[in-house]
Amino acid sequence: MWKPLTRLLATISIMVLASMAVCQATAQTAPTELRVATRVLPPMVVGQQGALSGFSIELWNEISQRLQLKTTYQVAPDVASLLTMVRGANANLGIAAISITSAREAEFEFSHPIMNAGLQIMVSGAGKSGESSPLKDVLSLLFSWTSLAWLGIAALLILVPAHIVWWYERNHESGMIPTRDYIPGIFYALYWAAGTLATQADSAPKHWIGRIVAVLWMFTGVVFVALYTAQLAATLTVQQIASGINGPDDLAGKRVATTRGSTAATVVRQLGGQVVEVRAIDEAYAALGRKTVEAVVFDSPVLLYYAANEGKGRVTIVGSPFRKEDYGIVFPRGSELRNRVNVTLLRMREDGAYQRIYDKWFAAK
């Protein structure tokens, strides 16, 4: 009588224990509240007044809603810190502009690509993205601050010999100043002084003091024109060098800013560039504005967004994306969440949810 009852109780106990084990395993592999590491990097992640938005944030919010998961975001300063958080189990996953590379794949697990991107180059000002225009270069040089400064110096220099020659020539019977009056007499002297400085005047002073001044002034003119020409040539050369970045092959020897620990830093070093690593991409933008670096190399979507918004009219994107990369959601190895996220991503592409989020942040307005 007791044996069947004992077997029944044992069976029920085993079933209860198995159910508890399954529930516990499910709770461990698929937590209902996740710690998600990210980094502010518009338009992938935008931080405004303590709230996060952007393509990556909206994408993950949609995924977590479909999986009925809660999210606590943890903001890292750069991609290296983000990966450290995932590596050390301080975050269940990471999402932002995280490139999928062979080195990272060996240490972490990635979702299906959430975006196809690549590296691109950004320079200050109008850049040199098209064919050189000699007329434009000459005009910009003639109306530059350098030319205006030299013209100002020339004007001051002309006043001195012009007044000396006017003073002595006005009383000379056969002098080159036909009137004793200051006006218009001084204009004759100014014309002579300017002509002598630029080329050679068509007349010469008759008074002996005027002739001494004329000889000294002609020598001064030769020196002035030589210095002015050298300055213009140097300025034009600097402009050509500074704006001579049209693609990755031009980065060799150039100072290039990018974020610490990024794939861009590795690529720029391989290309022979002098890498200036910063913690946040905003610091790279500031360095380019101060002209302490000659270019910024970073993820194409991020640079395009900045150039079209905050940097509009001040920076230019040159060349095409040259290091194709895919962005993914990064997980620690062995994460059971990865497969669920991948299935959800595929469903979002099929039902149009992914495209809707993509178009909101990247479609042409």
Side-chain angles (χ1 to χ4, degrees), residues 53-73:
S53 60
F55 172 77
S56 296
I57 300 299
E58 290 197 17
L59 183 69
W60 176 252
N61 287 344
E62 180 69 21
I63 294 172
S64 62
Q65 181 179 353
R66 296 191 180 204
L67 294 177
Q68 297 183 346
L69 300 171
K70 294 182 180 180
T71 297
T72 299
Y73 288 107

Side-chain angles (χ1 to χ4, degrees), residues 30-306:
T32 56
E33 184 166 1
L34 301 176
R35 292 164 297 167
V36 177
T38 189
R39 57 173 177 154
V40 175
L41 195 67
M44 303 301 292
V45 179
V46 180
Q48 291 181 336
Q49 299 178 349
L52 296 177
S53 60
F55 172 77
S56 296
I57 300 299
E58 290 197 17
L59 183 69
W60 176 252
N61 287 344
E62 180 69 21
I63 294 172
S64 62
Q65 181 179 353
R66 296 191 180 204
L67 294 177
Q68 297 183 346
L69 300 171
K70 294 182 180 180
T71 297
T72 299
Y73 288 107
Q74 299 178 344
V75 179
D78 50 48
V79 67
S81 301
L82 187 154
L83 293 175
T84 299
M85 294 171 66
V86 177
R87 182 188 300 111
N90 294 320
N92 300 103
L93 59 98
I95 186 170
I98 307 173
S99 301
I100 303 174
T101 66
S102 58
R104 291 174 181 173
E105 189 72 53
E107 186 177 4
F108 302 94
E109 291 186 353
F110 283 88
S111 68
H112 293 321
I114 62 174
M115 180 181 290
N116 306 118
L119 299 180
Q120 210 154 7
I121 303 170
M122 184 172 72
V123 298
S124 178
K128 197 76 172 175
S129 57
E131 292 294 329
S132 177
S133 174
L135 178 60
K136 183 178 179 180
D137 291 341
V138 170
L139 291 177
S140 64
L141 189 61
L142 289 177
F143 293 97
S144 65
W145 285 110
T146 300
S147 293
L148 293 177
W150 278 90
L151 289 175
I153 294 172
L156 291 176
L157 290 176
I158 287 172
L159 288 174
V160 176
H163 278 80
I164 295 175
V165 168
W166 169 78
W167 179 260
Y168 287 100
E169 288 294 299
R170 67 190 178 97
N171 293 321
H172 199 283
E173 294 181 358
S174 58
M176 65 179 187
I177 306 300
T179 175
R180 295 174 59 87
D181 297 330
Y182 182 75
I183 297 177
I186 190 60
F187 292 112
Y188 287 95
L190 289 172
Y191 175 77
W192 169 84
T196 304
L197 179 65
T199 55
Q200 185 174 359
D202 55 1
S203 59
K206 301 299 188 291
H207 194 281
W208 66 273
I209 294 181
R211 291 184 176 182
I212 293 175
V213 171
V215 172
L216 294 175
W217 182 236
M218 284 187 287
F219 175 78
T220 302
V222 172
V223 175
F224 179 85
V225 170
L227 291 175
Y228 178 53
T229 302
Q231 180 65 52
L232 290 184
T235 301
L236 184 59
T237 301
V238 169
Q239 289 179 354
Q240 293 291 335
I241 294 174
S243 61
I245 299 178
N246 299 309
D249 293 338
D250 299 323
L251 294 177
K254 303 293 196 303
R255 288 177 58 82
V256 181
T258 191
T259 57
R260 178 174 64 88
S262 64
T263 55
T266 302
V267 172
V268 172
R269 288 192 182 95
Q270 293 172 350
L271 293 170
Q274 301 177 24
V275 180
V276 178
E277 291 188 283
V278 296
R279 288 184 62 84
I281 192 62
D282 288 342
E283 297 177 24
Y285 300 153
L288 185 64
R290 295 192 303 268
K291 299 187 184 302
T292 56
V293 298
E294 297 167 82
V296 172
V297 173
F298 203 62
D299 302 334
S300 177
V302 177
L303 295 188
L304 289 171
Y305 182 83
Y306 176 79

